[in-house]
């Protein structure tokens, strides 16, 4: 159950970040600056609690999985925990301060170095998306692999013994 929750939560986090990185971020560069700033500021009102919850659920479930497992699976889950934690730290100390600036700019005007700052926001966004994706991949590996990392042995169908063979021939 914990494994399913961890994979699902981390997958949702990765999907949300991925959507933003692939669809929203490039679109922001194609609209007028005023449109971008006002939309970005409004988006963050809803995005902040949702993404915080997603990051928390991904990190907590990955941590729980790492505490419930051993060996390779535990290492993969611990790696996912570190990566989702890294996504949180990048968000908190990279994107969030810039989001606060954007909120101010949306009500006033952007400074001369706004484009440089927005490029830095994009860099942080790609970094946190990458760490979330890496965490998701690690958890998918735990979900599809065997706990000890080995492929399960596949045995050949057994031959019927002589008595059954003779019965079958009769």
């Amino acid at each position: 159950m914990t494994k399913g929750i961890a994979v699902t939560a981390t997958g949702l986090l990765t999907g949300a970040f991925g959507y933003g990185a692939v669809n929203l971020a490039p679109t922001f560069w194609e609209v007028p600056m005023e449109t971008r700033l006002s939309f970005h500021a409004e988006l963050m009102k809803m995005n902040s609690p949702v993404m915080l919850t997603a990051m928390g659920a991904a990190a907590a479930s990955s941590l729980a999985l790492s505490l419930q497992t051993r060996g390779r699976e535990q290492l993969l889950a611990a790696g996912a925990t570190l990566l989702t934690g890294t996504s949180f730290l990048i968000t908190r100390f990279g994107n969030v301060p810039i989001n606060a600036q954007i909120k101010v700019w949306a009500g006033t005007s952007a400074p001369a170095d706004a484009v440089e700052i927005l490029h830095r926001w994009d860099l942080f966004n790609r970094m946190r998306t990458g760490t979330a994706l890496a965490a998701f991949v690690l958890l998918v590996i735990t979900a599809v692999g065997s706990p000890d990392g080995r492929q399960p042995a596949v045995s050949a169908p057994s031959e019927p013994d002589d008595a059954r063979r003779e019965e079958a021939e009769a």
Side-chain angles (χ1 to χ4, degrees):
M1 174 116 157
T2 304
K3 189 182 295 185
I5 293 169
V7 171
T8 301
T10 308
L12 289 171
L13 176 66
T14 302
F17 279 150
Y19 178 81
V22 172
N23 293 308
L24 287 178
T27 303
F28 279 158
W29 291 105
E30 299 302 321
V31 298
M33 182 65 80
E34 298 78 27
T35 303
R36 177 193 179 144
L37 297 178
S38 62
F39 181 77
H40 192 116
E42 285 301 312
L43 180 64
M44 291 308 114
K45 287 180 184 176
M46 180 56 82
N47 209 35
S48 294
V50 169
M51 295 309 290
L52 182 60
T53 302
M55 284 184 277
S61 59
S62 297
L63 177 60
L65 183 61
S66 72
L67 296 173
Q68 294 173 2
T69 55
R70 296 288 171 256
R72 176 178 177 258
E73 194 170 37
Q74 183 179 41
L75 292 174
L76 292 168
T81 303
L82 291 172
L83 288 162
T84 54
T86 301
S87 290
F88 171 77
L89 292 173
I90 292 168
T91 301
R92 175 61 189 95
F93 297 107
N95 297 93
V96 169
I98 297 172
N99 289 341
Q101 290 177 311
I102 291 170
K103 185 178 178 181
V104 171
W105 303 344
T108 58
S109 63
D113 63 344
V115 170
E116 179 185 320
I117 294 169
L118 293 172
H119 278 295
R120 202 166 50 242
W121 188 95
D122 282 346
L123 173 64
F124 291 134
N125 191 48
R126 287 190 301 274
M127 289 169 56
R128 69 185 181 172
T129 301
T131 55
L133 176 60
F136 180 59
V137 168
L138 292 180
L139 292 172
V140 167
I141 291 169
T142 69
V144 298
S146 63
D148 61 4
R150 289 182 279 157
Q151 293 297 321
V154 178
S155 59
S158 62
E159 293 284 328
D161 60 46
D162 290 336
R164 279 195 258 155
R165 191 175 311 137
E166 288 173 13
E167 246 180 64
E169 292 173 359

